[in-house]
Amino acid sequence: LTGQQAAQDKAVAKLEAELLLTRNAASEVADKAAQLSMKLAGEVQGGRDAANKAGEAHNAKVTALEQEAAAARREAEGARADAARIQGHGEEAARGAAKLGTDLAA
């Protein structure tokens, strides 16, 4: 009985040692997984930050282009108004010249 008990105690001790090694290995794997998870989360956040910055830069560029287009439209409207004013002066001058020609012929 004592020899059998000793063999059982030895087998139990061996299983306990294996269990301890397995727990330690599992703990190391869990630690590494947590580290990798944190690293990946940081990289994902870095990617988000970069995407946000790129989006902000794009929005700023779009806003600048919209402002430039609005300024060009205002400039074109001013040029059209100037052209209409010049055309009006030309027509007035042509009428004046025709009247002068009529007056001189009379």
Side-chain angles (χ1 to χ4, degrees):
L1 186 70
T2 308
Q4 187 179 4
Q5 184 67 36
Q8 287 177 346
D9 288 348
K10 186 176 180 181
V12 167
K14 183 178 177 185
L15 289 175
E16 286 175 344
E18 288 177 7
L19 178 61
L20 182 61
L21 289 174
T22 302
R23 282 183 180 156
N24 288 342
S27 178
E28 287 178 23
V29 169
D31 288 347
K32 286 182 181 179
Q35 290 171 357
L36 288 173
S37 177
M38 289 172 50
K39 180 181 176 186
L40 181 59
E43 289 175 1
V44 167
Q45 186 59 47
R48 281 189 188 126
D49 291 345
N52 287 340
K53 285 182 184 177
E56 289 169 6
H58 173 75
N59 289 343
K61 186 174 183 178
V62 167
T63 299
L65 289 172
E66 287 171 342
Q67 290 172 348
E68 195 175 316
R73 279 193 300 274
R74 287 191 300 272
E75 191 174 316
E77 289 167 4
R80 277 194 292 272
D82 289 346
R85 199 168 29 259
I86 290 168
Q87 183 179 358
H89 292 314
E91 290 170 357
E92 187 178 318
R95 283 191 298 274
K99 184 176 185 305
L100 180 60
T102 302
D103 289 348
L104 289 176

mmCIF file of all heavy atoms in Angstrom, residues 36-62:
data_model
loop_
_atom_site.group_PDB
_atom_site.id
_atom_site.type_symbol
_atom_site.label_atom_id
_atom_site.label_comp_id
_atom_site.label_asym_id
_atom_site.label_seq_id
_atom_site.Cartn_x
_atom_site.Cartn_y
_atom_site.Cartn_z
ATOM 1 N N LEU A 36 0.137 42.637 -27.594
ATOM 2 C CA LEU A 36 -0.147 42.770 -29.030
ATOM 3 C C LEU A 36 -1.456 43.511 -29.263
ATOM 4 O O LEU A 36 -1.563 44.340 -30.176
ATOM 5 C CB LEU A 36 -0.187 41.395 -29.707
ATOM 6 C CG LEU A 36 1.166 40.706 -29.863
ATOM 7 C CD1 LEU A 36 0.968 39.285 -30.392
ATOM 8 C CD2 LEU A 36 2.075 41.489 -30.789
ATOM 9 N N SER A 37 -2.438 43.229 -28.431
ATOM 10 C CA SER A 37 -3.727 43.907 -28.550
ATOM 11 C C SER A 37 -3.568 45.401 -28.325
ATOM 12 O O SER A 37 -4.123 46.222 -29.067
ATOM 13 C CB SER A 37 -4.716 43.314 -27.542
ATOM 14 O OG SER A 37 -5.937 43.997 -27.587
ATOM 15 N N MET A 38 -2.778 45.771 -27.303
ATOM 16 C CA MET A 38 -2.553 47.186 -27.025
ATOM 17 C C MET A 38 -1.780 47.838 -28.168
ATOM 18 O O MET A 38 -2.080 48.963 -28.575
ATOM 19 C CB MET A 38 -1.800 47.351 -25.695
ATOM 20 C CG MET A 38 -2.665 47.022 -24.489
ATOM 21 S SD MET A 38 -1.772 46.972 -22.916
ATOM 22 C CE MET A 38 -0.873 48.493 -22.924
ATOM 23 N N LYS A 39 -0.779 47.128 -28.687
ATOM 24 C CA LYS A 39 0.003 47.659 -29.806
ATOM 25 C C LYS A 39 -0.893 47.867 -31.025
ATOM 26 O O LYS A 39 -0.840 48.911 -31.676
ATOM 27 C CB LYS A 39 1.139 46.696 -30.146
ATOM 28 C CG LYS A 39 2.014 47.167 -31.296
ATOM 29 C CD LYS A 39 3.108 46.162 -31.606
ATOM 30 C CE LYS A 39 3.903 46.619 -32.806
ATOM 31 N NZ LYS A 39 4.883 45.627 -33.234
ATOM 32 N N LEU A 40 -1.726 46.887 -31.314
ATOM 33 C CA LEU A 40 -2.641 46.987 -32.452
ATOM 34 C C LEU A 40 -3.630 48.122 -32.246
ATOM 35 O O LEU A 40 -3.893 48.898 -33.180
ATOM 36 C CB LEU A 40 -3.382 45.659 -32.645
ATOM 37 C CG LEU A 40 -4.362 45.594 -33.818
ATOM 38 C CD1 LEU A 40 -3.644 45.877 -35.123
ATOM 39 C CD2 LEU A 40 -5.034 44.242 -33.874
ATOM 40 N N ALA A 41 -4.148 48.273 -31.043
ATOM 41 C CA ALA A 41 -5.076 49.369 -30.753
ATOM 42 C C ALA A 41 -4.388 50.710 -30.984
ATOM 43 O O ALA A 41 -4.986 51.642 -31.539
ATOM 44 C CB ALA A 41 -5.588 49.263 -29.319
ATOM 45 N N GLY A 42 -3.124 50.811 -30.577
ATOM 46 C CA GLY A 42 -2.366 52.041 -30.811
ATOM 47 C C GLY A 42 -2.175 52.312 -32.290
ATOM 48 O O GLY A 42 -2.297 53.453 -32.748
ATOM 49 N N GLU A 43 -1.881 51.258 -33.053
ATOM 50 C CA GLU A 43 -1.700 51.424 -34.501
ATOM 51 C C GLU A 43 -3.014 51.821 -35.165
ATOM 52 O O GLU A 43 -3.036 52.665 -36.058
ATOM 53 C CB GLU A 43 -1.144 50.143 -35.113
ATOM 54 C CG GLU A 43 0.303 49.882 -34.731
ATOM 55 C CD GLU A 43 0.829 48.547 -35.223
ATOM 56 O OE1 GLU A 43 0.082 47.806 -35.891
ATOM 57 O OE2 GLU A 43 1.995 48.235 -34.932
ATOM 58 N N VAL A 44 -4.099 51.216 -34.720
ATOM 59 C CA VAL A 44 -5.413 51.567 -35.272
ATOM 60 C C VAL A 44 -5.720 53.034 -34.977
ATOM 61 O O VAL A 44 -6.168 53.784 -35.850
ATOM 62 C CB VAL A 44 -6.518 50.643 -34.706
ATOM 63 C CG1 VAL A 44 -7.901 51.184 -35.002
ATOM 64 C CG2 VAL A 44 -6.368 49.234 -35.274
ATOM 65 N N GLN A 45 -5.455 53.466 -33.746
ATOM 66 C CA GLN A 45 -5.702 54.864 -33.385
ATOM 67 C C GLN A 45 -4.811 55.784 -34.201
ATOM 68 O O GLN A 45 -5.245 56.841 -34.653
ATOM 69 C CB GLN A 45 -5.472 55.082 -31.887
ATOM 70 C CG GLN A 45 -5.850 56.476 -31.424
ATOM 71 C CD GLN A 45 -7.311 56.806 -31.687
ATOM 72 O OE1 GLN A 45 -8.191 56.018 -31.400
ATOM 73 N NE2 GLN A 45 -7.574 57.968 -32.255
ATOM 74 N N GLY A 46 -3.560 55.371 -34.410
ATOM 75 C CA GLY A 46 -2.657 56.155 -35.250
ATOM 76 C C GLY A 46 -3.197 56.277 -36.661
ATOM 77 O O GLY A 46 -3.140 57.346 -37.275
ATOM 78 N N GLY A 47 -3.740 55.189 -37.178
ATOM 79 C CA GLY A 47 -4.351 55.224 -38.504
ATOM 80 C C GLY A 47 -5.558 56.145 -38.544
ATOM 81 O O GLY A 47 -5.748 56.895 -39.508
ATOM 82 N N ARG A 48 -6.362 56.087 -37.492
ATOM 83 C CA ARG A 48 -7.528 56.986 -37.415
ATOM 84 C C ARG A 48 -7.081 58.441 -37.384
ATOM 85 O O ARG A 48 -7.657 59.297 -38.056
ATOM 86 C CB ARG A 48 -8.347 56.683 -36.161
ATOM 87 C CG ARG A 48 -9.231 55.486 -36.279
ATOM 88 C CD ARG A 48 -10.169 55.389 -35.070
ATOM 89 N NE ARG A 48 -10.888 54.143 -35.106
ATOM 90 C CZ ARG A 48 -10.924 53.265 -34.110
ATOM 91 N NH1 ARG A 48 -10.296 53.520 -32.988
ATOM 92 N NH2 ARG A 48 -11.593 52.156 -34.227
ATOM 93 N N ASP A 49 -6.053 58.708 -36.571
ATOM 94 C CA ASP A 49 -5.554 60.087 -36.469
ATOM 95 C C ASP A 49 -5.044 60.573 -37.820
ATOM 96 O O ASP A 49 -5.325 61.699 -38.228
ATOM 97 C CB ASP A 49 -4.434 60.175 -35.422
ATOM 98 C CG ASP A 49 -4.941 59.961 -34.000
ATOM 99 O OD1 ASP A 49 -6.177 60.025 -33.787
ATOM 100 O OD2 ASP A 49 -4.108 59.718 -33.107
ATOM 101 N N ALA A 50 -4.303 59.713 -38.518
ATOM 102 C CA ALA A 50 -3.781 60.088 -39.836
ATOM 103 C C ALA A 50 -4.926 60.326 -40.816
ATOM 104 O O ALA A 50 -4.897 61.284 -41.595
ATOM 105 C CB ALA A 50 -2.842 58.995 -40.363
ATOM 106 N N ALA A 51 -5.937 59.467 -40.758
ATOM 107 C CA ALA A 51 -7.091 59.635 -41.657
ATOM 108 C C ALA A 51 -7.831 60.934 -41.336
ATOM 109 O O ALA A 51 -8.258 61.658 -42.248
ATOM 110 C CB ALA A 51 -8.039 58.437 -41.530
ATOM 111 N N ASN A 52 -7.966 61.234 -40.044
ATOM 112 C CA ASN A 52 -8.631 62.489 -39.655
ATOM 113 C C ASN A 52 -7.853 63.694 -40.143
ATOM 114 O O ASN A 52 -8.433 64.655 -40.653
ATOM 115 C CB ASN A 52 -8.811 62.551 -38.130
ATOM 116 C CG ASN A 52 -9.894 61.612 -37.639
ATOM 117 O OD1 ASN A 52 -10.753 61.189 -38.398
ATOM 118 N ND2 ASN A 52 -9.842 61.271 -36.376
ATOM 119 N N LYS A 53 -6.525 63.654 -39.996
ATOM 120 C CA LYS A 53 -5.694 64.768 -40.460
ATOM 121 C C LYS A 53 -5.810 64.920 -41.970
ATOM 122 O O LYS A 53 -5.905 66.035 -42.480
ATOM 123 C CB LYS A 53 -4.234 64.558 -40.048
ATOM 124 C CG LYS A 53 -3.981 64.820 -38.580
ATOM 125 C CD LYS A 53 -2.523 64.643 -38.223
ATOM 126 C CE LYS A 53 -2.330 64.817 -36.716
ATOM 127 N NZ LYS A 53 -0.953 64.588 -36.323
ATOM 128 N N ALA A 54 -5.798 63.795 -42.687
ATOM 129 C CA ALA A 54 -5.933 63.853 -44.145
ATOM 130 C C ALA A 54 -7.297 64.414 -44.521
ATOM 131 O O ALA A 54 -7.416 65.223 -45.448
ATOM 132 C CB ALA A 54 -5.742 62.457 -44.750
ATOM 133 N N GLY A 55 -8.332 64.014 -43.790
ATOM 134 C CA GLY A 55 -9.676 64.532 -44.040
ATOM 135 C C GLY A 55 -9.756 66.025 -43.781
ATOM 136 O O GLY A 55 -10.362 66.767 -44.555
ATOM 137 N N GLU A 56 -9.121 66.461 -42.694
ATOM 138 C CA GLU A 56 -9.118 67.896 -42.375
ATOM 139 C C GLU A 56 -8.379 68.676 -43.452
ATOM 140 O O GLU A 56 -8.828 69.749 -43.869
ATOM 141 C CB GLU A 56 -8.475 68.127 -41.006
ATOM 142 C CG GLU A 56 -9.335 67.636 -39.845
ATOM 143 C CD GLU A 56 -8.594 67.623 -38.518
ATOM 144 O OE1 GLU A 56 -7.437 68.094 -38.457
ATOM 145 O OE2 GLU A 56 -9.180 67.138 -37.530
ATOM 146 N N ALA A 57 -7.249 68.135 -43.915
ATOM 147 C CA ALA A 57 -6.484 68.810 -44.972
ATOM 148 C C ALA A 57 -7.310 68.876 -46.257
ATOM 149 O O ALA A 57 -7.332 69.907 -46.942
ATOM 150 C CB ALA A 57 -5.167 68.079 -45.216
ATOM 151 N N HIS A 58 -8.003 67.779 -46.562
ATOM 152 C CA HIS A 58 -8.856 67.756 -47.762
ATOM 153 C C HIS A 58 -9.968 68.796 -47.637
ATOM 154 O O HIS A 58 -10.234 69.548 -48.579
ATOM 155 C CB HIS A 58 -9.447 66.354 -47.949
ATOM 156 C CG HIS A 58 -10.447 66.270 -49.048
ATOM 157 N ND1 HIS A 58 -10.089 66.265 -50.373
ATOM 158 C CD2 HIS A 58 -11.797 66.216 -49.023
ATOM 159 C CE1 HIS A 58 -11.187 66.209 -51.109
ATOM 160 N NE2 HIS A 58 -12.223 66.165 -50.316
ATOM 161 N N ASN A 59 -10.606 68.835 -46.468
ATOM 162 C CA ASN A 59 -11.691 69.802 -46.256
ATOM 163 C C ASN A 59 -11.181 71.230 -46.372
ATOM 164 O O ASN A 59 -11.857 72.090 -46.950
ATOM 165 C CB ASN A 59 -12.346 69.579 -44.890
ATOM 166 C CG ASN A 59 -13.155 68.301 -44.840
ATOM 167 O OD1 ASN A 59 -13.501 67.733 -45.868
ATOM 168 N ND2 ASN A 59 -13.443 67.832 -43.660
ATOM 169 N N ALA A 60 -9.987 71.487 -45.837
ATOM 170 C CA ALA A 60 -9.408 72.831 -45.932
ATOM 171 C C ALA A 60 -9.137 73.186 -47.391
ATOM 172 O O ALA A 60 -9.394 74.318 -47.825
ATOM 173 C CB ALA A 60 -8.122 72.902 -45.116
ATOM 174 N N LYS A 61 -8.656 72.211 -48.154
ATOM 175 C CA LYS A 61 -8.372 72.450 -49.578
ATOM 176 C C LYS A 61 -9.669 72.719 -50.336
ATOM 177 O O LYS A 61 -9.735 73.637 -51.161
ATOM 178 C CB LYS A 61 -7.643 71.238 -50.173
ATOM 179 C CG LYS A 61 -7.168 71.439 -51.587
ATOM 180 C CD LYS A 61 -6.337 70.257 -52.057
ATOM 181 C CE LYS A 61 -5.804 70.495 -53.446
ATOM 182 N NZ LYS A 61 -4.972 69.386 -53.904
ATOM 183 N N VAL A 62 -10.697 71.934 -50.043
ATOM 184 C CA VAL A 62 -12.002 72.136 -50.697
ATOM 185 C C VAL A 62 -12.545 73.525 -50.357
ATOM 186 O O VAL A 62 -13.024 74.246 -51.233
ATOM 187 C CB VAL A 62 -13.002 71.034 -50.273
ATOM 188 C CG1 VAL A 62 -14.422 71.387 -50.669
ATOM 189 C CG2 VAL A 62 -12.603 69.701 -50.897
#
